[in-house]
Amino acid sequence: MEVLKPEYLPFVQNNRFITLFSHPFCILPLSGPDSVFEQNERNKLINSVIESRRINTDKLISEGNQIVALKFVERPFRLTMAIKFAHQMPALESWKMFSWLFDHADANTFAATDQWEAIFRRPGNPSLRTKAFQALPNVVNVYRMPTFPFCVYSLNPDDGVLVGTAETTDIAHHGKTRVWISPCHIHQQ
């Protein structure tokens, strides 16, 4: 019978309703009355997926392609991994990586608001020097996107409900469809 590699055992989480395997390279439910064959196949799958993704990410990182490497990382772990990658990259490349992650993240990724705020408040954010950002008026309407937590807003009225206005100087990051603004900078309507 194939067992999980010992270094993977800390990633087994026993919750009230489900047992979950939650590793940066593989997230999989483990609950259920599995047969020995099913357990063997599941363990084989987990071991091989992690090993394959680790090899691919190591190769991509060595080639300087951290953004593609992030695609092999499960979404809940991408921000943490991107922060690790950033220390190995030129500043402009790390900004590109964080911008990509911001534009492709789901709502759960934004739960780490302190980390995002620290990233976007670093000096030299190129998203604040684009033509699109420079073309914004001094004060913009800010719209709440239905499935995103506070700090992530849209400037497009089709994306949500108007929550107020903000000065463009208070925008910490300007993505393709989202902006990062601390709620304290939004003037309620």
Side-chain angles (χ1 to χ4, degrees), residues 59-77:
K59 181 177 184 280
L60 289 162
I61 291 166
S62 72
E63 295 169 352
N65 204 341
Q66 286 83 350
I67 293 173
V68 176
L70 276 180
K71 295 177 183 180
F72 287 95
V73 177
E74 295 287 351
R75 284 185 184 267
F77 297 96

Side-chain angles (χ1 to χ4, degrees), residues 66-99:
Q66 286 83 350
I67 293 173
V68 176
L70 276 180
K71 295 177 183 180
F72 287 95
V73 177
E74 295 287 351
R75 284 185 184 267
F77 297 96
R78 283 184 179 172
L79 179 59
T80 302
M81 196 69 75
I83 291 169
K84 288 179 185 176
F85 292 169
H87 297 293
Q88 309 160 7
M89 303 169 69
L92 185 58
E93 291 302 310
S94 74
W95 278 115
K96 287 179 185 176
M97 178 183 62
F98 286 121
S99 292

